[in-house]
C-alpha cells in the first residue's frame, strides 16, 4: 500500500506538471489578429466565425480579433512597428504605399517558406497573389480580398436624365454627366473629408489621360510629372469634374455620408468597390435600381486593389499564424465566405451560384479584365501619398490651379531622393 501510495503521489505530481505544461502550451497557442471594423456587418461576423471554427478544429487555440477604424488601425500598426509588442497577424493594403510602409518598417515577416509549404500559389488567383512579390526581401502577406472599383449608377436617375445606355467610353461618360447636369442631378457624390475617397476620381482620370504605361511610370516615380502633359491634363479634368459634376459641398462630408446621399437619390453615381453590393443589400434597397460599369478609361485595365493579411515579426508563433491563414484561404472556407467578406474570392477554385445580378456583373467584370491599376495611396510610398492627397484636395478646393498641381507634386518627389 505504501508503494502504491508513493506511486500515486508520483503520478499525481506528473499529472500536475503535465497540466502546467499543457496550460503553457495553450497560452502559447494564442493568436492576435488586428484588422478593420468593416462597414459591412456581414464581413465582421464572418471573420469571427472563421476564428471560432479554427479554434474548434485546433483545440487549445484562441484567436483574439481586435478591430479598429481605418485611421486608428494605421496608428496602432505604426506604434507596433516601433515597439517590441504587436499582433501575430495584421490586416493592411497591398502595394508599396500603405502595406509597404509596414514592410519597410520591419513589421512584416517574409512568408516564402509558407507559400511553399501550403502551396498557396496553386490556390490563389494570380492577380490577387501577385501583390506579395512587390516588396524586396521575399514574399510578404497573403490576400484577404481582391477588390475592383467601378461606377455604380442609379438607373432611375439615368432614365430621368435621358441616359439610355451605360457609358462605354470616356466621351460617353462626359455626355452622360452633361445630361445629368441639365436635369439638375449631380453626376457623382464623394466624401472629401477622407482623402482617399476623392482620390479615386484623380486615379481613374490619370489612367484615362495618360494611358497604362505613362500612368504606371508616374506612380512608380520613374517619370517626371512636369514633363508628361497628360498629368496636367488629368488634373485639369479633375478640377472640371469636381466643379461641374459633383454633389457639393463634398469636401465637408465623409465617405459614409456620401453613401447615404447616393442611396437617397441625391446623386446619380458613386465610384466604389465590389463590396458596395453587400452594403446596398444591408441598407434594404432594391438592388434592381442600380447598375455597375467600369470607369471607361479606354485602357482595358480594371481599377482595383488587394487587401492582405500579414504575419507580424512580433509574433511568437508564426507557424500557427501561417496555419490560420492557410485555413482562411482554403477552398472550403472561402466557398463559405462568398458574398460575406467579398463577392469574389481570392481562391481560384471557388464556385459561384445564386448570385445577385450586381454580384454576377462583378464576376463578369473580373473575368473580362486581366490587368489592374491600383489606387494611388497603394502605389505610392506613404510620404508621397500624403502629398498626393494634399495636391488633390487643393485642386478640388480651388486653392491651386491644375497647371501648378503636377509641378508641386514633382517638386516633392524630387526633394525626397
Amino acid at each position: 500500500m505504501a508503494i502504491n501510495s508513493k506511486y500515486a503521489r508520483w503520478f499525481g505530481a506528473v499529472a500536475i506538471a503535465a497540466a502546467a505544461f499543457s496550460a503553457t502550451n495553450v497560452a502559447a497557442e494564442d493568436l492576435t489578429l488586428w484588422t478593420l471594423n468593416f462597414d459591412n456587418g456581414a464581413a465582421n461576423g464572418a471573420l469571427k466565425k472563421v476564428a471560432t471554427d479554427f479554434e474548434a478544429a485546433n483545440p487549445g487555440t484562441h484567436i483574439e480579433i481586435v478591430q479598429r477604424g481605418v485611421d486608428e488601425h494605421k496608428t496602432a500598426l505604426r506604434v507596433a512597428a516601433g515597439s517590441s509588442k504587436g499582433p501575430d497577424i495584421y490586416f493592411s493594403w497591398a502595394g508599396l504605399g500603405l502595406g509597404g510602409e509596414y514592410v519597410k518598417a520591419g513589421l512584416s515577416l517574409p512568408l516564402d517558406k509558407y507559400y511553399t509549404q501550403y502551396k498557396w500559389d496553386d490556390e490563389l488567383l494570380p492577380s490577387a497573389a501577385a501583390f506579395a512579390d512587390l516588396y524586396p526581401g521575399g514574399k510578404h502577406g497573403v490576400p484577404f480580398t481582391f477588390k475592383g472599383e467601378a461606377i455604380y449608377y442609379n438607373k432611375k436617375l439615368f432614365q430621368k436624365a435621358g441616359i439610355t445606355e451605360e457609358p462605354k467610353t470616356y466621351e460617353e461618360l462626359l455626355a452622360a454627366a452633361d445630361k445629368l447636369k441639365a436635369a439638375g442631378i449631380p453626376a457623382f457624390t464623394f466624401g472629401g473629408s477622407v482623402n482617399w475617397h476623392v482620390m479615386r476620381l484623380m486615379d481613374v482620370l490619370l489612367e484615362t489621360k495618360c494611358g497604362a504605361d505613362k500612368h504606371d511610370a508616374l506612380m512608380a516615380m520613374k517619370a517626371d510629372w512636369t514633363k508628361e502633359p497628360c498629368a496636367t491634363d488629368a488634373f485639369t479634368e479633375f478640377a472640371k469634374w469636381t466643379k461641374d459634376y459633383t454633389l457639393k459641398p463634398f469636401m465637408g462630408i465623409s465617405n459614409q455620408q456620401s453613401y447615404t446621399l447616393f442611396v437617397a437619390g441625391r446623386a446619380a453615381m458613386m465610384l466604389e468597390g465590389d463590396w458596395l453590393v453587400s452594403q446596398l443589400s444591408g441598407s434594404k434597397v432594391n438592388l434592381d435600381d442600380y447598375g455597375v460599369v467600369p470607369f471607361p478609361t479606354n485602357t482595358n485595365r480594371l481599377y482595383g486593389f488587394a487587401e492582405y493579411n500579414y504575419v507580424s515579426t512580433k509574433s511568437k508563433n508564426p507557424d500557427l499564424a501561417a496555419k490560420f491563414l492557410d485555413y482562411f484561404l482554403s477552398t472550403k472556407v472561402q466557398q463559405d465566405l462568398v458574398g460575406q467578406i467579398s463577392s469574389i474570392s481570392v481562391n481560384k477554385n471557388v464556385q459561384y451560384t445564386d448570385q445577385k445580378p450586381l454580384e454576377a456583373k462583378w464576376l463578369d467584370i473580373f473575368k473580362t479584365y486581366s490587368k489592374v491599376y491600383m489606387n494611388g495611396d497603394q502605389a505610392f510610398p506613404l510620404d508621397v501619398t500624403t502629398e498626393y492627397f494634399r495636391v488633390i484636395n487643393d485642386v478640388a478646393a480651388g486653392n491651386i490651379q491644375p497647371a501648378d498641381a503636377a509641378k508641386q507634386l514633382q517638386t516633392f518627389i524630387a526633394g525626397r531622393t
Side-chain angles (χ1 to χ4, degrees):
M1 293 296 294
I3 294 176
N4 288 342
S5 177
K6 176 182 178 181
Y7 276 101
R9 289 195 300 272
W10 182 80
F11 279 117
V14 170
I16 293 171
F21 180 75
S22 175
T24 301
N25 275 353
V26 170
E29 295 295 300
D30 285 355
L31 284 179
T32 302
L33 167 62
W34 287 5
T35 189
L36 297 185
N37 186 12
F38 299 102
D39 291 335
N40 175 14
N44 295 321
L47 185 59
K48 291 174 183 176
K49 184 178 184 302
V50 170
T52 300
D53 290 347
F54 181 81
E55 290 171 347
N58 296 270
T61 299
H62 172 68
I63 299 175
E64 180 186 7
I65 299 177
V66 179
Q67 294 180 278
R68 301 180 176 94
V70 173
D71 291 336
E72 293 80 8
H73 179 67
K74 292 177 184 177
T75 299
L77 288 177
R78 289 176 190 135
V79 172
S83 69
S84 60
K85 296 181 180 179
D88 294 283
I89 301 169
Y90 67 89
F91 166 99
S92 189
W93 295 263
L96 298 177
L98 292 175
E101 173 191 356
Y102 310 116
V103 174
K104 187 177 180 180
L107 186 59
S108 172
L109 184 73
L111 302 181
D112 300 71
K113 72 174 184 178
Y114 298 119
Y115 268 85
T116 300
Q117 177 182 343
Y118 291 113
K119 299 180 180 179
W120 284 333
D121 283 331
D122 293 338
E123 261 193 319
L124 297 172
L125 284 172
S127 52
F131 292 85
D133 295 315
L134 291 176
Y135 314 105
K139 289 178 172 288
H140 287 267
V142 295
F144 175 66
T145 63
F146 180 57
K147 306 289 191 180
E149 294 159 284
I151 296 171
Y152 288 82
Y153 63 91
N154 184 315
K155 293 179 180 179
K156 291 181 178 179
L157 294 183
F158 265 36
Q159 184 178 22
K160 183 178 179 180
I163 304 167
T164 57
E165 295 183 358
E166 291 181 346
K168 294 181 174 59
T169 67
Y170 183 67
E171 293 70 27
E172 289 177 359
L173 180 63
L174 275 177
D178 283 329
K179 287 184 178 181
L180 288 163
K181 184 178 179 181
I185 303 168
F188 277 98
T189 176
F190 288 99
S193 68
V194 290
N195 295 311
W196 45 266
H197 207 235
V198 72
M199 172 204 70
R200 294 172 181 168
L201 178 60
M202 186 64 206
D203 288 346
V204 296
L205 291 173
L206 277 167
E207 179 79 0
T208 303
K209 291 298 180 180
C210 292
D213 291 341
K214 286 186 178 179
H215 186 190
D216 287 348
L218 289 168
M219 288 299 179
M221 299 178 291
K222 294 179 179 179
D224 190 320
W225 286 70
T226 62
K227 294 180 180 178
E228 296 292 348
C230 68
T232 296
D233 292 344
F235 277 115
T236 301
E237 205 73 0
F238 175 79
K240 176 182 177 181
W241 278 96
T242 53
K243 178 183 177 183
D244 295 338
Y245 302 124
T246 306
L247 179 65
K248 298 178 180 58
F250 71 90
M251 293 301 289
I253 65 173
S254 69
N255 59 306
Q256 184 58 42
Q257 290 170 316
S258 178
Y259 168 77
T260 301
L261 291 167
F262 176 64
V263 172
R266 295 284 301 279
M269 294 181 279
M270 280 194 82
L271 183 52
E272 277 289 347
D274 57 270
W275 60 84
L276 199 74
V277 179
S278 295
Q279 197 171 348
L280 288 167
S281 296
S283 297
K284 308 300 181 183
V285 301
N286 185 353
L287 292 182
D288 292 336
D289 290 339
Y290 300 91
V292 62
V293 60
F295 193 98
T297 61
N298 307 332
T299 63
N300 203 32
R301 297 202 302 180
L302 180 65
Y303 186 42
F305 63 93
E307 298 170 327
Y308 265 42
N309 281 318
Y310 299 80
V311 175
S312 168
T313 53
K314 315 299 179 182
S315 176
K316 295 181 180 179
N317 202 339
D319 288 345
L320 183 63
K323 184 178 181 180
F324 172 75
L325 292 177
D326 181 62
Y327 177 80
F328 177 81
L329 295 172
S330 66
T331 301
K332 181 183 182 302
V333 171
Q334 286 293 308
Q335 188 73 61
D336 292 341
L337 290 176
V338 169
Q340 298 182 68
I341 288 180
S342 181
S343 58
I344 304 297
S345 171
V346 297
N347 184 311
K348 66 184 180 183
N349 300 315
V350 164
Q351 302 296 313
Y352 300 91
T353 58
D354 300 325
Q355 286 190 303
K356 301 178 181 69
L358 282 179
E359 291 172 336
K361 180 63 181 290
W362 266 115
L363 186 57
D364 288 341
I365 290 172
F366 279 117
K367 289 180 178 178
T368 300
Y369 290 86
S370 60
K371 297 180 180 179
V372 176
Y373 64 102
M374 71 176 68
N375 296 45
D377 59 356
Q378 296 182 48
F380 279 136
L382 179 64
D383 58 335
V384 181
T385 293
T386 302
E387 180 66 5
Y388 185 51
F389 285 160
R390 184 194 69 79
V391 171
I392 289 170
N393 290 341
D394 278 347
V395 171
N399 295 331
I400 62 175
Q401 295 301 309
D404 294 326
K407 181 179 179 181
Q408 291 191 24
L409 184 58
Q410 182 60 42
T411 297
F412 180 87
I413 291 171
R416 68 187 292 276
T417 58

